[in-house]
């Protein structure tokens, strides 16, 4: 609010007059609804919100913020757990109206506007029998997920979202609209594939598309959590020789007390083996059969369904703005019985039944990409542990955040030392970003940052400091 008072009304009106979209001040009826992001812990009030409709609006917004000394928050899907999509006292560049997705006539590429969600992409591509790797929640913004990597159900067969990014258009700190691909601005293109929102506001992405079956096999048996020390080694050993087309995770959660769940399983803590087979459903059903046979599951959510349906299965568990969330991650160097025992002991102490925590298996295409091919960096980690605390209100903040931090710190002795920057806690920690990339990649990113954003205008992100 204070920042608005330092900007002349005439400047705001001039800014408003050149936008095809809207400029919202705090008094605007849509202001509060527009500033809300997915994580209910985040309650920030920008001085102004620019609701952009095209790249020209983004250029004008960046110029306005720079000329008026305003911090910039960039919102695409607003799903980042750290809440970087909204700021206090600055300019929120809201691209949620820029949701267009166009598929090339030969069906090999999709052009995606910067405010689109993965639901928008899937709705445009899957009716044509095509898809590109997204995340696990369809309400997630394409931009935020992609720029820091993008781990999803198709990773074994087609890699991360960044591995399928062919080009991007973005607005840089000086207000230029530039193109980056393997031939034009290749250093910037490398940095965009894992380096986060440090280098500008991406207004358009170009993705490689792949054929997708009309139905895929979702594997979803849930076993009693007290069997986790038995089940996880069986899962680990099975996944060592599983085909690349099978991607998944072992997930700690609590089944809801809901009539849709068999009575004997309601409210039970479980270990779910959630996987998707990217191929014919008949073939997938045969492949995943062993995962469904580690004893009798409490409930088995497995079934054949369209990729679009699979992508939205988790949406209802993570509604926008309802819950408080704090998620951290670490890449594990191994998953032997000692590590498994440490994980299960800590999961048993989680304070909220709404929490999810997952062991993600990496392999296939993901691990075949060279460490220096993208800013995402080294791919040799076999597993990732994500600790995703979710709870209903502020009175439980300390208990849940403290549990995640303690758990994460305890697991560092089994870590590669790196982490996934889409699950960064709330971005705290002086060495968080440097550790995520490693010293060599971070130094390269810092030089690229200096070239395109020497004054660190884009700093509300997993920030890389500019360096000569």
């Amino acid at each position: 609010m204070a920042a608005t008072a330092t900007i002349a009304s005439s400047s705001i009106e001039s800014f408003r007059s050149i936008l095809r979209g809207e400029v919202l001040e705090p008094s605007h009826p849509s202001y509060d609804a527009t500033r809300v992001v997915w994580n209910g812990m985040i309650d920030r009030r920008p001085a102004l919100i620019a609701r952009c409709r095209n790249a020209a609006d983004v250029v004008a917004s960046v110029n306005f913020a720079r000329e008026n000394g305003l911090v910039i928050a960039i919102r695409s899907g607003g799903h980042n757990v750290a809440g970087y999509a909204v700021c206090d006292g600055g300019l929120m560049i809201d691209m949620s109206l820029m949701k267009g997705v166009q598929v090339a006539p030969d069906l090999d590429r999709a052009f995606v506007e910067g405010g689109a969600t993965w639901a928008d992409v899937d709705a445009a591509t899957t009716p044509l029998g095509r898809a590109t790797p997204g995340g696990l929640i369809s309400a997630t913004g394409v931009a935020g997920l992609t720029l820091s990597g993008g781990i999803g159900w198709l990773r074994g067969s087609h890699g991360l979202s960044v591995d399928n990014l062919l080009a991007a258009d973005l607005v840089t700190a000086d207000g230029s609209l530039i193109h980056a691909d393997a031939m034009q601005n290749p250093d910037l293109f490398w940095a965009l594939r894992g380096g986060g929102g440090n280098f500008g506001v991406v207004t358009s992405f170009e993705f490689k598309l792949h054929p997708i079956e009309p139905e895929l096999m979702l594997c979803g048996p849930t076993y009693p959590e007290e069997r986790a020390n038995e089940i996880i080694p069986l899962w680990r050993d099975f996944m060592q020789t599983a085909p690349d087309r099978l991607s998944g995770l072992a997930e700690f959660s609590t089944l809801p007390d809901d009539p849709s769940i068999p009575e004997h399983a309601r409210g039970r803590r479980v270990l779910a083996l959630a996987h998707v087979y990217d191929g014919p459903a008949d073939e997938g059903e045969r492949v995943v059969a062993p995962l469904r046979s580690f004893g009798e599951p409490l409930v088995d959510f497995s079934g054949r369904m369209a990729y679009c349906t699979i992508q939205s299965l988790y949406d209802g568990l993570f509604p926008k703005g309802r819950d408080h969330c704090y998620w951290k991650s670490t890449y594990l160097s191994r998953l032997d019985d000692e590590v498994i025992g440490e994980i299960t002991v800590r999961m048993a102490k989680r304070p909220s039944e709404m929490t999810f925590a997952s062991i993600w298996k990496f392999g296939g295409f993901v691990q075949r990409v060279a460490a220096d091919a993208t800013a995402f960096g080294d791919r040799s980690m076999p597993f990732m542990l994500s600790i995703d605390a979710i709870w209903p209100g502020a009175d439980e903040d300390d208990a849940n955040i403290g549990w995640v931090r303690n758990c994460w710190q305890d697991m560092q002795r089994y870590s590669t030392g790196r982490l996934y920057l889409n699950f960064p806690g709330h971005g705290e920690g002086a060495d968080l970003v440097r550790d995520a990339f490693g010293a060599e990649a971070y130094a390269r990113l810092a030089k690229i940052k200096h070239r395109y954003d020497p004054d660190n205008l884009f700093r509300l992100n997993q920030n890389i400091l500019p360096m000569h």
Side-chain angles (χ1 to χ4, degrees):
M1 296 289 289
T4 306
T6 66
I7 307 170
S9 296
S10 58
S11 296
I12 296 174
E13 289 308 311
S14 177
F15 177 39
R16 181 176 282 119
S17 71
I18 61 175
L19 251 62
R20 185 162 179 253
E22 297 179 280
V23 178
L24 307 185
E25 297 181 65
S27 59
H28 193 283
S30 300
Y31 172 86
D32 282 324
T34 306
R35 71 182 178 89
V36 170
V37 292
W38 168 74
N39 188 350
M41 286 191 74
I42 309 301
D43 182 20
R44 298 177 187 145
R45 300 183 63 82
L48 297 170
I49 300 173
R51 304 205 73 197
C52 299
R53 289 192 176 273
N54 54 33
D57 280 0
V58 177
V59 169
S61 298
V62 169
N63 288 336
F64 179 82
R66 186 187 64 251
E67 292 162 4
N68 288 279
L70 297 174
V71 66
I72 292 175
I74 306 166
R75 178 199 177 120
S76 52
H79 214 273
N80 182 276
V81 71
Y84 293 134
V86 63
C87 57
D88 277 322
L91 177 67
M92 180 184 191
I93 298 178
D94 174 22
M95 294 193 294
S96 61
L97 301 177
M98 297 171 58
K99 302 168 72 72
V101 179
Q102 181 178 352
V103 177
D106 55 6
L107 308 184
D108 65 337
R109 292 164 295 148
F111 303 90
V112 181
E113 287 192 306
T117 66
W118 286 105
D120 298 318
V121 175
D122 296 336
T125 62
T126 57
L128 302 174
R130 297 293 186 272
T132 196
L136 270 60
I137 302 171
S138 72
T140 305
V142 170
L145 185 92
T146 298
L147 294 174
S148 288
I151 302 172
W153 292 125
L154 304 181
R155 63 185 182 274
S157 50
H158 300 302
L160 308 177
S161 299
V162 291
D163 300 325
N164 295 273
L165 183 63
L166 299 173
D169 296 333
L170 69 160
V171 178
T172 54
D174 64 358
S176 299
L177 177 62
I178 66 174
H179 183 80
D181 61 20
M183 300 300 293
Q184 293 181 255
N185 301 304
D187 60 336
L188 179 58
F189 183 55
W190 175 85
L192 290 174
R193 289 175 291 160
N198 275 277
F199 309 99
V201 186
V202 179
T203 58
S204 179
F205 297 87
E206 180 182 345
F207 288 103
K208 183 187 304 181
L209 292 180
H210 307 275
I212 194 83
E213 295 288 334
E215 284 190 327
L216 303 180
M217 182 63 190
L218 170 76
C219 175
T222 63
Y223 296 98
E225 187 175 312
E226 53 266 28
R227 293 187 59 212
N229 284 327
E230 170 197 353
I231 297 291
I232 295 175
L234 295 172
W235 168 74
R236 174 201 63 203
D237 295 346
F238 173 83
M239 292 301 291
Q240 287 299 109
T241 57
D244 290 352
R245 287 186 171 193
L246 184 67
S247 298
L249 46 84
E251 180 179 82
F252 294 84
S253 63
T254 304
L255 293 175
D257 184 6
D258 186 275
S260 65
I261 304 294
E263 189 172 356
H264 72 278
R266 295 175 194 170
R268 291 283 299 275
R269 288 189 169 192
V270 296
L271 179 77
L273 303 182
H275 296 71
V276 171
Y277 185 79
D278 179 24
D282 286 348
E283 188 176 286
E285 190 164 5
R286 291 192 296 272
V287 168
V288 303
L291 295 174
R292 304 170 66 189
S293 305
F294 296 155
E296 183 70 24
L298 277 172
V299 187
D300 192 345
F301 296 102
S302 303
R304 304 178 185 201
M305 58 193 76
Y307 177 67
C308 254
T309 302
I310 293 171
Q311 284 292 85
S312 62
L313 287 176
Y314 281 80
D315 289 6
L317 300 172
F318 303 99
K320 176 182 173 181
R322 186 190 71 181
D323 303 321
H324 287 217
C325 304
Y326 184 84
W327 298 6
K328 286 183 76 71
S329 62
T330 193
Y331 295 131
L332 300 175
S333 58
R334 67 184 204 270
L335 191 65
D336 55 24
D337 290 350
E338 178 187 359
V339 178
I340 293 168
E342 294 282 0
I343 292 172
T344 58
V345 165
R346 282 157 182 78
M347 293 305 111
K349 297 177 181 178
R350 62 186 183 271
S352 172
E353 298 301 337
M354 299 169 67
T355 287
F356 288 75
S358 304
I359 306 169
W360 302 61
K361 175 69 174 70
F362 293 113
F365 193 109
V366 172
Q367 292 192 318
R368 290 195 290 270
V369 177
D372 61 355
T374 67
F376 187 85
D378 178 59
R379 310 293 187 89
S380 64
M381 66 285 187
F383 299 95
M384 178 177 74
L385 175 66
S386 63
I387 313 163
D388 311 336
I390 306 170
W391 62 97
D395 58 333
E396 300 176 34
D397 286 359
D398 290 345
N400 283 276
I401 293 173
W403 173 76
V404 174
R405 288 176 176 169
N406 289 337
C407 183
W408 183 87
Q409 188 60 53
D410 289 345
M411 295 306 299
Q412 289 311 292
R413 60 184 179 274
Y414 308 115
S415 173
T416 66
R418 297 180 60 234
L419 65 145
Y420 181 42
L421 280 174
N422 276 328
F423 302 158
H426 287 169
E428 70 276 29
D431 297 322
L432 175 87
V433 179
R434 191 182 302 271
D435 289 346
F437 291 112
E440 185 176 347
Y442 184 86
R444 182 178 175 184
L445 284 163
K447 291 179 181 178
I448 298 170
K449 171 76 168 180
H450 183 268
R451 177 177 176 184
Y452 292 96
D453 185 14
D455 297 320
N456 203 15
L457 180 67
F458 302 114
R459 58 186 179 274
L460 193 59
N461 47 39
Q462 293 95 345
N463 196 233
I464 298 164
L465 295 175
M467 180 177 71
H468 288 285

XYZ file of all heavy atoms in Angstrom, residues 165-227:
480
model
N 11.448 -28.672 -23.940
C 11.334 -27.268 -24.308
C 12.218 -27.001 -25.523
O 13.436 -27.218 -25.479
C 11.755 -26.380 -23.138
C 11.625 -24.869 -23.344
C 10.171 -24.476 -23.558
C 12.211 -24.109 -22.158
N 11.612 -26.537 -26.601
C 12.335 -26.271 -27.839
C 12.713 -24.806 -27.988
O 13.689 -24.478 -28.659
C 11.488 -26.693 -29.044
C 11.113 -28.178 -29.116
C 10.145 -28.411 -30.268
C 12.370 -29.025 -29.280
N 11.935 -23.919 -27.376
C 12.190 -22.482 -27.511
C 11.317 -21.729 -26.526
O 10.337 -22.269 -26.000
C 11.906 -21.999 -28.931
N 11.690 -20.471 -26.301
C 10.896 -19.607 -25.429
C 11.054 -18.163 -25.878
O 12.126 -17.765 -26.354
C 11.319 -19.757 -23.975
N 9.983 -17.393 -25.732
C 10.034 -15.941 -25.897
C 9.896 -15.322 -24.514
O 9.038 -15.752 -23.726
C 8.896 -15.442 -26.786
C 8.985 -15.977 -28.205
O 10.103 -16.276 -28.665
O 7.924 -16.103 -28.859
N 10.711 -14.319 -24.217
C 10.632 -13.716 -22.894
C 10.966 -12.236 -22.948
O 11.655 -11.759 -23.853
C 11.544 -14.425 -21.902
C 13.067 -14.290 -22.047
C 13.737 -14.626 -20.718
C 13.600 -15.236 -23.119
N 10.438 -11.543 -21.925
C 10.714 -10.126 -21.745
C 11.811 -9.996 -20.706
O 11.677 -10.476 -19.578
C 9.448 -9.376 -21.292
C 9.760 -7.897 -21.068
C 8.327 -9.548 -22.314
N 12.903 -9.352 -21.082
C 14.037 -9.207 -20.175
C 13.919 -7.921 -19.360
O 12.999 -7.130 -19.540
C 15.356 -9.231 -20.959
O 15.314 -8.240 -21.985
C 15.569 -10.604 -21.588
N 14.865 -7.718 -18.457
C 14.779 -6.616 -17.493
C 14.774 -5.244 -18.151
O 14.229 -4.285 -17.580
C 15.925 -6.712 -16.492
N 15.360 -5.128 -19.334
C 15.369 -3.827 -20.018
C 14.139 -3.616 -20.886
O 14.057 -2.631 -21.628
C 16.653 -3.668 -20.846
C 16.753 -4.685 -21.984
O 15.849 -5.540 -22.119
O 17.746 -4.619 -22.739
N 13.182 -4.552 -20.820
C 11.955 -4.417 -21.581
C 12.011 -4.954 -22.988
O 11.095 -4.722 -23.777
N 13.076 -5.697 -23.305
C 13.188 -6.290 -24.639
C 12.422 -7.610 -24.695
O 12.417 -8.380 -23.731
C 14.658 -6.560 -24.990
O 15.411 -5.375 -24.992
N 11.804 -7.885 -25.843
C 11.171 -9.175 -26.083
C 12.118 -9.965 -26.975
O 12.384 -9.566 -28.114
C 9.813 -8.993 -26.774
C 9.064 -10.278 -27.165
C 8.715 -11.113 -25.939
C 7.801 -9.935 -27.963
N 12.641 -11.072 -26.459
C 13.650 -11.821 -27.198
C 13.265 -13.295 -27.291
O 12.440 -13.792 -26.526
C 15.053 -11.670 -26.574
C 15.111 -12.300 -25.188
C 15.473 -10.207 -26.529
C 16.516 -12.295 -24.602
N 13.905 -13.973 -28.235
C 13.665 -15.394 -28.490
C 14.903 -16.174 -28.071
O 16.032 -15.730 -28.289
C 13.381 -15.608 -29.977
C 13.043 -17.014 -30.340
N 11.794 -17.562 -30.145
C 13.803 -18.005 -30.908
C 11.789 -18.822 -30.566
N 12.995 -19.110 -31.033
N 14.685 -17.338 -27.482
C 15.800 -18.190 -27.090
C 15.530 -19.618 -27.523
O 14.466 -20.179 -27.225
C 16.009 -18.135 -25.573
N 16.487 -20.181 -28.245
C 16.436 -21.594 -28.594
C 17.872 -22.071 -28.782
O 18.810 -21.382 -28.371
C 15.567 -21.845 -29.827
C 16.055 -21.137 -31.088
O 17.245 -20.743 -31.155
O 15.249 -20.966 -32.026
N 18.056 -23.222 -29.390
C 19.401 -23.780 -29.516
C 20.301 -22.944 -30.410
O 21.534 -23.025 -30.307
C 19.315 -25.205 -30.047
N 19.713 -22.110 -31.284
C 20.503 -21.300 -32.208
C 20.553 -19.825 -31.808
O 21.581 -19.177 -31.945
C 19.916 -21.419 -33.622
C 19.906 -22.848 -34.161
S 21.563 -23.592 -34.256
C 22.288 -22.572 -35.540
N 19.432 -19.289 -31.322
C 19.376 -17.889 -30.901
C 19.487 -17.801 -29.382
O 18.715 -18.445 -28.666
C 18.050 -17.248 -31.333
C 17.870 -17.097 -32.825
C 16.544 -16.443 -33.143
O 15.589 -17.091 -33.585
N 16.457 -15.148 -32.916
N 20.430 -17.009 -28.917
C 20.663 -16.862 -27.479
C 20.750 -18.224 -26.776
O 20.025 -18.511 -25.822
C 19.538 -16.022 -26.845
C 19.425 -14.645 -27.462
O 20.396 -13.887 -27.481
N 18.251 -14.327 -27.989
N 21.661 -19.095 -27.254
C 21.729 -20.453 -26.687
C 22.115 -20.483 -25.217
O 21.707 -21.406 -24.500
C 22.779 -21.146 -27.560
C 23.600 -20.035 -28.151
C 22.639 -18.899 -28.338
N 22.889 -19.481 -24.759
C 23.231 -19.448 -23.330
C 21.986 -19.226 -22.481
O 21.791 -19.881 -21.443
C 24.267 -18.360 -23.045
C 23.795 -16.956 -23.418
O 22.906 -16.832 -24.290
O 24.324 -15.982 -22.841
N 21.122 -18.342 -22.945
C 19.872 -18.080 -22.229
C 18.946 -19.295 -22.295
O 18.293 -19.643 -21.304
C 19.186 -16.851 -22.834
C 17.849 -16.440 -22.223
C 17.984 -16.148 -20.736
C 17.289 -15.221 -22.949
N 18.907 -19.946 -23.445
C 18.073 -21.148 -23.587
C 18.529 -22.230 -22.608
O 17.706 -22.891 -21.963
C 18.143 -21.648 -25.031
C 17.278 -22.843 -25.307
C 15.915 -22.816 -25.032
C 17.822 -23.985 -25.876
C 15.113 -23.920 -25.305
C 17.028 -25.089 -26.149
C 15.677 -25.060 -25.857
N 19.830 -22.406 -22.477
C 20.362 -23.360 -21.491
C 19.895 -22.984 -20.084
O 19.444 -23.838 -19.320
C 21.891 -23.376 -21.563
C 22.539 -24.235 -20.527
C 22.778 -25.573 -20.601
C 23.015 -23.820 -19.237
N 23.377 -26.024 -19.445
C 23.529 -24.973 -18.594
C 23.063 -22.595 -18.576
C 24.084 -24.921 -17.315
C 23.605 -22.544 -17.297
C 24.108 -23.703 -16.671
N 19.983 -21.703 -19.746
C 19.650 -21.242 -18.397
C 18.164 -21.400 -18.093
O 17.791 -21.713 -16.952
C 20.067 -19.784 -18.217
N 17.317 -21.183 -19.092
C 15.877 -21.299 -18.869
C 15.467 -22.725 -18.529
O 14.449 -22.946 -17.880
C 15.107 -20.841 -20.112
C 15.146 -19.349 -20.427
C 14.476 -19.088 -21.764
C 14.475 -18.541 -19.328
N 16.250 -23.695 -18.947
C 15.903 -25.093 -18.715
C 16.437 -25.549 -17.348
O 17.358 -26.340 -17.246
C 16.432 -25.958 -19.858
C 15.652 -25.739 -21.143
C 16.241 -26.503 -22.301
N 17.534 -25.944 -22.694
C 18.436 -26.615 -23.401
N 18.212 -27.870 -23.776
N 19.568 -26.033 -23.734
N 15.836 -24.964 -16.314
C 16.186 -25.325 -14.948
C 16.570 -24.164 -14.061
O 16.577 -24.298 -12.839
N 16.862 -23.004 -14.645
C 17.343 -21.866 -13.866
C 16.260 -21.000 -13.252
O 16.550 -19.950 -12.673
N 14.990 -21.395 -13.387
C 13.908 -20.660 -12.742
C 13.581 -19.353 -13.444
O 13.982 -19.101 -14.574
N 12.858 -18.483 -12.728
C 12.379 -17.235 -13.301
C 13.353 -16.088 -13.197
O 12.945 -14.927 -13.114
N 14.635 -16.369 -13.233
C 15.661 -15.356 -12.990
C 15.943 -14.431 -14.173
O 16.538 -13.375 -13.983
C 16.972 -16.042 -12.598
C 17.048 -16.365 -11.128
O 17.392 -15.515 -10.319
N 16.713 -17.598 -10.777
N 15.549 -14.831 -15.366
C 16.104 -14.179 -16.548
C 15.095 -13.340 -17.315
O 15.443 -12.690 -18.289
C 16.726 -15.246 -17.459
C 17.673 -16.133 -16.708
C 17.262 -17.378 -16.253
C 18.950 -15.693 -16.397
C 18.115 -18.188 -15.529
C 19.807 -16.493 -15.669
C 19.403 -17.745 -15.218
N 13.850 -13.357 -16.888
C 12.829 -12.576 -17.559
C 11.460 -13.185 -17.358
O 11.291 -14.160 -16.617
N 10.478 -12.611 -18.027
C 9.096 -13.100 -17.969
C 8.831 -13.853 -19.265
O 8.763 -13.249 -20.343
C 8.096 -11.939 -17.820
C 6.691 -12.486 -17.622
C 8.488 -11.021 -16.663
N 8.672 -15.161 -19.174
C 8.437 -15.965 -20.378
C 6.983 -15.790 -20.809
O 6.056 -16.084 -20.055
C 8.758 -17.447 -20.134
C 8.485 -18.255 -21.408
C 10.219 -17.624 -19.716
N 6.814 -15.311 -22.026
C 5.465 -15.074 -22.554
C 4.980 -16.209 -23.443
O 3.783 -16.327 -23.697
C 5.420 -13.760 -23.346
O 6.385 -13.821 -24.419
C 5.741 -12.572 -22.440
N 5.917 -17.041 -23.923
C 5.528 -18.150 -24.784
C 6.567 -19.256 -24.723
O 7.776 -18.985 -24.698
C 5.378 -17.672 -26.236
O 5.019 -18.746 -27.080
N 6.080 -20.502 -24.684
C 6.926 -21.688 -24.710
C 6.615 -22.492 -25.963
O 5.467 -22.553 -26.411
C 6.641 -22.591 -23.502
C 6.940 -21.995 -22.166
C 5.994 -21.228 -21.502
C 8.161 -22.217 -21.542
C 6.247 -20.691 -20.248
C 8.438 -21.696 -20.287
C 7.480 -20.923 -19.644
N 7.630 -23.152 -26.489
C 7.436 -24.124 -27.563
C 7.909 -25.481 -27.053
O 9.069 -25.643 -26.666
C 8.218 -23.726 -28.812
C 8.046 -24.695 -29.962
C 8.877 -24.322 -31.184
O 9.365 -23.173 -31.245
O 9.060 -25.187 -32.057
N 7.001 -26.466 -27.041
C 7.304 -27.789 -26.514
C 7.237 -28.857 -27.600
O 6.410 -28.772 -28.524
C 6.293 -28.184 -25.425
C 6.446 -27.449 -24.133
C 5.570 -26.424 -23.809
C 7.450 -27.778 -23.233
C 5.689 -25.742 -22.603
C 7.580 -27.106 -22.031
C 6.702 -26.082 -21.714
N 8.073 -29.862 -27.461
C 7.982 -31.058 -28.286
C 6.793 -31.892 -27.820
O 6.567 -32.046 -26.618
C 9.270 -31.872 -28.137
C 9.365 -33.117 -29.000
C 10.605 -33.943 -28.634
C 11.872 -33.118 -28.726
N 13.071 -33.934 -28.383
N 6.019 -32.418 -28.773
C 4.884 -33.284 -28.454
C 5.205 -34.734 -28.800
O 5.978 -35.008 -29.718
C 3.636 -32.851 -29.213
C 3.018 -31.510 -28.826
C 1.786 -31.229 -29.685
C 2.649 -31.469 -27.341
N 4.580 -35.657 -28.072
C 4.782 -37.086 -28.269
C 3.426 -37.779 -28.380
O 2.453 -37.350 -27.758
C 5.549 -37.681 -27.081
C 6.822 -36.976 -26.771
N 8.011 -37.260 -27.414
C 7.103 -35.971 -25.893
C 8.960 -36.475 -26.940
N 8.432 -35.686 -26.019
N 3.365 -38.874 -29.117
C 2.105 -39.644 -29.154
C 1.739 -40.160 -27.768
O 2.616 -40.532 -26.976
C 2.440 -40.809 -30.096
C 3.578 -40.317 -30.933
C 4.384 -39.416 -30.022
N 0.458 -40.136 -27.450
C -0.042 -40.650 -26.171
C -1.221 -41.582 -26.476
O -2.036 -41.295 -27.358
C -0.470 -39.489 -25.232
C -0.670 -39.968 -23.802
C -1.704 -38.778 -25.739
C 0.613 -40.051 -23.017
N -1.291 -42.686 -25.766
C -2.384 -43.638 -25.973
C -3.717 -43.037 -25.493
O -3.733 -42.210 -24.568
C -2.104 -44.919 -25.195
C -0.891 -45.689 -25.670
C -1.102 -46.385 -27.001
O -2.277 -46.690 -27.327
O -0.105 -46.596 -27.719
N -4.827 -43.463 -26.084
C -6.137 -42.968 -25.617
C -6.393 -43.286 -24.149
O -7.025 -42.508 -23.443
C -7.137 -43.696 -26.515
C -6.360 -44.100 -27.715
C -4.958 -44.354 -27.240
N -5.893 -44.440 -23.694
C -5.971 -44.819 -22.284
C -4.610 -45.302 -21.818
O -3.902 -45.987 -22.555
C -6.983 -45.947 -22.062
C -8.430 -45.521 -22.095
C -9.353 -46.644 -21.626
O -9.031 -47.824 -21.881
O -10.383 -46.322 -20.999
N -4.261 -44.930 -20.586
C -3.039 -45.408 -19.951
C -3.420 -46.227 -18.727
O -4.540 -46.142 -18.229
C -2.152 -44.236 -19.530
C -1.735 -43.244 -20.616
C -0.848 -42.158 -20.006
C -1.009 -43.933 -21.750
N -2.472 -46.971 -18.225
C -2.697 -47.725 -16.998
C -2.145 -46.950 -15.818
O -0.947 -46.667 -15.751
C -2.017 -49.101 -17.074
C -2.240 -49.963 -15.841
S -4.002 -50.367 -15.606
C -3.953 -51.083 -13.952
N -3.050 -46.590 -14.904
C -2.652 -45.998 -13.628
C -2.561 -47.118 -12.605
O -3.507 -47.891 -12.425
C -3.677 -44.968 -13.166
C -3.483 -44.461 -11.731
C -2.327 -43.469 -11.666
C -4.754 -43.832 -11.184
N -1.435 -47.200 -11.937
C -1.244 -48.175 -10.865
C -1.344 -47.431 -9.538
O -0.635 -46.454 -9.326
C 0.128 -48.834 -11.005
S 0.588 -49.955 -9.671
N -2.240 -47.870 -8.642
C -2.452 -47.131 -7.398
C -2.807 -47.974 -6.197
O -3.747 -47.623 -5.463
N -2.073 -49.080 -5.921
C -2.359 -49.838 -4.696
C -1.890 -49.074 -3.460
O -0.843 -48.412 -3.488
C -1.555 -51.121 -4.882
C -0.398 -50.707 -5.728
C -0.946 -49.655 -6.662
N -2.650 -49.154 -2.387
C -2.252 -48.535 -1.121
C -2.149 -49.632 -0.065
O -3.090 -50.393 0.152
C -3.259 -47.463 -0.666
O -4.524 -48.076 -0.425
C -3.422 -46.377 -1.721
N -0.999 -49.672 0.580
C -0.726 -50.673 1.606
C -0.670 -50.007 2.980
O -0.374 -48.800 3.083
C 0.606 -51.357 1.311
C 0.615 -52.141 0.018
C 1.139 -51.590 -1.152
C 0.091 -53.426 -0.036
C 1.146 -52.303 -2.343
C 0.100 -54.159 -1.225
C 0.622 -53.588 -2.368
O 0.620 -54.304 -3.549
N -0.936 -50.748 4.053
C -0.825 -50.145 5.389
C 0.573 -49.583 5.622
O 1.574 -50.235 5.300
C -1.103 -51.328 6.327
C -1.844 -52.327 5.507
C -1.317 -52.164 4.104
N 0.634 -48.375 6.163
C 1.936 -47.739 6.354
C 2.860 -48.553 7.255
O 4.085 -48.500 7.092
C 1.761 -46.327 6.921
C 3.059 -45.543 6.988
C 2.861 -44.111 7.434
O 1.970 -43.431 6.886
O 3.594 -43.673 8.346
N 2.292 -49.316 8.167
C 3.144 -50.101 9.056
C 3.923 -51.177 8.304
O 4.876 -51.755 8.870
C 2.311 -50.728 10.181
C 1.107 -51.539 9.735
C -0.177 -50.712 9.712
O -0.096 -49.476 9.517
O -1.257 -51.323 9.891
N 3.585 -51.427 7.043
C 4.342 -52.376 6.230
C 5.384 -51.677 5.356
O 6.018 -52.316 4.497
C 3.400 -53.182 5.332
C 2.456 -54.129 6.076
C 1.684 -55.003 5.080
N 2.591 -55.776 4.255
C 2.348 -56.134 2.978
N 1.213 -55.763 2.397
N 3.229 -56.853 2.299
